[in-house]
Amino acid sequence: MGQVFNKIQGKDWREKQIRKITDKVYTKLINQSERVSPTLTFEDLYIGVLLVFNDLNKRLPGPHFDPPSKDEVRAIIEECDMNLDGEINSEEFVKFIKRLTENTFITVSQGLILTLVVAPTVALATKRATEGVPGVGKVVQKIPNSIYASLITMAIVMFQKSQLDSDY
């Protein structure tokens, strides 16, 4: 599944999306913080997690994802706090969010695969349904099934991609 997703989006797509989201959220948190050091405390980090999940839920197709609990965040901090100072710097934040969202992108990949399987079936069903419509039916009948299904599938994938890329 991931291979198909990588072919359509490019191998670095997930990395780029995570980096865009993390850079945006990290910068926002640091700018709002009154701290001298460019690191995030646990409370800052949890606010960042909520912002990231809010962003993901707005941008990714499929089900909405619940943010982790504070206890789950504490457990992942221990894995990602490389310098063991109890705070998270920019690179640790990226690693943290990657770790936190790894299953999210698997779910999105599965949704894309479902789209690639379901869309052609729906396209052919709508083609058959519109063949009897006066005016439109004759035009639809002239389009080969494989081309019609491919066009509809590509339109759906491009629509999903445009939704993901908006605001980034």
Side-chain angles (χ1 to χ4, degrees), residues 5-21:
F5 194 62
N6 285 340
K7 293 284 184 200
I8 292 171
Q9 300 290 341
K11 289 184 179 183
D12 296 329
W13 181 83
R14 180 181 184 271
E15 295 292 322
K16 289 177 186 173
Q17 294 303 311
I18 290 288
R19 193 64 195 217
K20 286 178 185 178
I21 292 170

Side-chain angles (χ1 to χ4, degrees), residues 1-14 109 112-113 116 154 157 161:
M1 281 184 273
Q3 291 174 347
V4 172
F5 194 62
N6 285 340
K7 293 284 184 200
I8 292 171
Q9 300 290 341
K11 289 184 179 183
D12 296 329
W13 181 83
R14 180 181 184 271
S109 296
L112 182 60
I113 297 303
L116 295 175
M154 286 303 292
V157 169
K161 183 178 182 336

Side-chain angles (χ1 to χ4, degrees), residues 54-65:
N54 185 45
D55 224 15
L56 289 173
N57 286 331
K58 281 195 258 180
R59 312 226 181 284
L60 296 180
H64 283 266
F65 302 97

